[in-house]
Amino acid sequence: MSAVLAATGLERTYAGTRPHPWARRERHRALRGVDLQLAPGERLALVGSSGSGKSTLLRCLLALDTPDAGTVHCDGRPVRHGRPAGLRWFRRRVQYVPQDPASTLDPRMTVGALVAEPLRALAVPGDHRAAVATALQRVRLDPGLTDRRPGELSGGQAQRVALARALAPAPEVLLADEPVSGLDLAVRRQVVELLGELSADGGLALLLVSHDLSVVARLCPRTVVLDDGAVVEDRATDALLADPHHPATRALVAAVPRLPA
Ligand SMILES: Nc1ncnc2c1ncn2[C@@H]1O[C@H](COP(=O)(O)OP(=O)(O)OP(=O)(O)O)[C@@H](O)[C@H]1O
């Protein structure tokens, strides 16, 4: 099956610092020819040590950053930067769940308004009120919370609101950056389960960035490992965890504490 989201040969170089005033500015290659394919409904993990390029890759995949070379395609269509309205088709298909929802949700807005916002911004046709109710139901958020504001929510509830916001436009792909890292263990389990169910029920493809390999193992049958901006492993998660080939993968497996079963 063809990929719902595909990156080919992505390169991203940042202007670095000068080690001293008369030195040449060092450049840092944050992405080095990254290829990545996500099939419809697939759950894929992206792991790597701090600074390996995960956020840069996510930003390029989300068309929030422009790679120096390479392409991103969604449903076979090239994703090009330009006027925001020109990317609406893409933003409806590919949504993002940030790492720390509590700090990204506008504290002045109600839950209902927060979930409706992307529908309005992306000019999604149809009944927005019904779409908000459906999204809240999908993340199992009590409809009684619709008029609450983020400050009145628990961490788990705020994460569900962030998920509902991302799901409201009925995307084909969800990119989630450490979606459970700020949550306590019990809530973390619930959100992990929810992500799995959403993907299984709705045919939603998921690209998950996580430092926690137990979350990765629970959710994602396939894992891509980034090291110094390059993909160094891309294979079945259970095989990768049982027998890590690359030193970077071995270091991740050795270092990450696991959730108790
Ligand atoms: N805006 C920027 N300007 C300069 N260098 C940057 C910028 N953003 C990232 N980098 C550098 O690019 C490299 C990759 O960074 P990136 O944030 O993508 O890694 P990461 O894997 O997401 O790390 P973490 O897990 O700590 O979030 C790092 O060396 C980082 O210092």
Side-chain angles (χ1 to χ4, degrees):
M1 205 185 281
S2 65
V4 63
L5 190 64
T8 311
L10 290 187
E11 296 275 343
R12 181 69 172 96
T13 300
Y14 292 115
T17 49
R18 290 179 208 275
H20 43 81
W22 57 91
R24 183 184 286 235
R25 192 179 287 280
E26 286 170 352
R27 296 180 67 77
H28 181 75
R29 280 178 79 196
L31 296 180
R32 303 164 183 259
V34 170
D35 294 337
L36 186 140
Q37 304 257 327
L38 186 67
E42 182 179 21
R43 299 200 298 266
L44 173 65
L46 176 63
V47 302
S49 63
S50 185
S52 57
K54 304 179 297 295
S55 307
T56 304
L57 177 54
L58 276 195
R59 284 201 299 275
C60 288
L61 289 173
L62 284 161
L64 297 174
D65 190 5
T66 313
D68 302 309
T71 55
V72 175
H73 283 77
C74 176
D75 286 331
R77 192 170 157 186
V79 180
R80 294 205 181 88
H81 287 257
R83 290 182 309 118
L87 276 177
R88 270 188 198 145
W89 69 273
F90 172 70
R91 305 238 174 270
R92 283 186 201 164
R93 285 174 173 80
V94 179
Q95 280 284 312
Y96 172 61
V97 183
Q99 182 164 1
D100 181 9
S103 66
T104 49
L105 298 174
D106 186 334
R108 296 161 304 180
M109 290 171 76
T110 63
V111 166
L114 283 163
V115 178
E117 191 188 31
L119 298 168
R120 204 169 29 78
L122 299 175
V124 175
D127 180 349
H128 289 184
R129 205 179 262 265
V132 169
T134 305
L136 292 177
Q137 206 176 11
R138 286 185 77 191
V139 301
R140 293 199 213 96
L141 207 63
D142 179 353
L145 296 178
T146 309
D147 295 326
R148 299 266 179 91
R149 289 186 165 71
E152 301 168 286
L153 304 174
S154 69
Q157 286 169 337
Q159 185 56 290
R160 283 173 202 263
V161 173
L163 261 176
R165 235 167 104 81
L167 292 173
E172 295 168 31
V173 180
L174 204 59
L175 303 191
D177 188 3
E178 301 281 0
V180 295
S181 65
L183 305 173
D184 65 46
L185 273 188
V187 182
R188 190 182 287 211
R189 281 227 180 95
Q190 292 168 7
V191 175
V192 168
E193 260 171 45
L194 178 64
L195 280 169
E197 285 165 21
L198 288 170
S199 163
D201 299 345
L204 182 73
L206 178 71
L207 179 64
L208 172 85
V209 173
S210 180
H211 278 100
D212 189 330
L213 293 187
S214 64
V215 171
V216 166
R218 262 179 221 192
L219 268 179
C220 300
R222 182 161 76 96
T223 295
V224 164
V225 183
L226 265 190
D227 182 47
D228 197 17
V231 172
V232 295
E233 298 211 41
D234 178 356
R235 59 198 177 99
T237 303
D238 48 4
L240 181 132
L241 296 182
D243 178 23
H245 290 171
H246 193 274
T249 320
R250 282 202 285 275
L252 290 172
V253 170
V256 176
R258 294 172 184 234
L259 278 179

